[in-house]
Amino acid sequence: MSASPAPRRPALTLSLCVLLFALLTWQVVAEGPLRRVDERAGRALTGSRLPDRAAEFLADLGNISVAVPVLVAVAAYAAWRARQSGTSRWWLPAVAALVALAAVPALVAPLKALIDRPGPPGTAGDGGFFPSGHAATAAVAYGAAALLLLPLLRGAYGRRELVIGCCLLNAAVGFGLVRRGYHWPLDVAASWCLAAVLLQAMLLLVSRSTRRSSSRTPGC
């Protein structure tokens, strides 16, 4: 009985992320007070003292050419380690991570077209900036890579450092995107919500498959 609440935690987190994304989207579409605060904050961050080259470097970490190879390399390594250890369905976590990343453009592109939010002053194009594709790509790629590496780390200290590093990296990408004037802060925050949904879905798929596989193992 004590183990029964565990499977519900990812589902609860997933639901909360969906609700938060819906709230942010509603505020953007309805031009609510949160959107006005968002645009004031975006203009303030754009005028910050961080050099343009440093901000551009941080924003570029969300590019497909950077984030995707990182996840592919980590997925290949994690799958190899799982296969070497004789893990059942050793390929599933890596495949689930890559599918989660492939789902990013499938979700972001129609949302951009539907919401059609204008970008910060000076950006090219009339709309399609909410949510941020770069922020979502970075969050899913680096987040999934961290989830694949976590089981391979033995100590709690190393796991904590990995999670903190992943969060800081994504925060840096988001800051770079806003600082360079490519997105508003809510564009980035909404992308983090979408990324959290995809990562939670990845965890649910892998955990349920693992439980089914364990239940079929004789002698347990």
Side-chain angles (χ1 to χ4, degrees):
M1 294 295 292
S2 60
S4 59
R8 297 174 185 167
R9 293 195 198 106
L12 176 61
T13 304
L14 190 150
S15 300
L16 291 175
C17 291
V18 171
L19 289 174
L20 181 56
F21 177 81
L23 172 64
L24 297 180
T25 303
W26 166 59
Q27 284 292 295
V28 168
V29 172
E31 298 186 4
L34 193 57
R35 173 170 171 168
R36 293 192 290 272
V37 172
D38 173 54
E39 293 180 354
R40 286 198 298 269
R43 293 187 184 95
L45 288 174
T46 302
S48 64
R49 295 183 178 180
L50 182 69
D52 287 347
R53 289 185 180 181
E56 188 71 29
F57 172 78
L58 296 177
D60 285 345
L61 295 177
N63 286 344
I64 292 177
S65 59
V66 179
V68 172
V70 169
L71 179 57
V72 170
V74 171
Y77 174 71
W80 175 75
R81 285 285 302 271
R83 185 177 183 183
Q84 290 294 105
S85 65
T87 302
S88 176
R89 298 185 181 180
W90 53 268
W91 46 269
L92 181 59
V95 171
L98 296 174
V99 169
L101 183 59
V104 170
L107 287 174
V108 170
L111 286 170
K112 281 177 173 285
L114 179 64
I115 299 169
D116 198 30
R117 184 187 189 183
T123 52
D126 296 328
F129 287 84
F130 181 97
S132 166
H134 282 72
T137 297
V140 172
Y142 301 136
L147 291 175
L148 291 174
L149 291 174
L150 280 175
L152 306 180
L153 300 177
R154 296 181 178 179
Y157 178 80
R159 294 180 179 181
R160 183 171 61 250
E161 296 302 309
L162 176 61
V163 172
I164 292 174
C166 178
C167 292
L168 290 177
L169 176 58
N170 279 290
V173 173
F175 178 79
L177 290 169
V178 176
R179 167 62 182 84
R180 290 294 289 135
Y182 297 143
H183 281 285
W184 300 109
L186 283 187
D187 302 346
V188 174
S191 293
W192 289 342
C193 292
L194 283 179
V197 169
L198 291 173
L199 293 176
Q200 288 294 333
M202 169 189 163
L203 286 176
L204 282 172
L205 173 64
V206 174
S207 63
R208 287 178 178 176
S209 176
T210 301
R211 288 198 301 272
R212 286 197 299 268
S213 178
S214 300
S215 65
R216 294 173 185 171
T217 303
C220 292

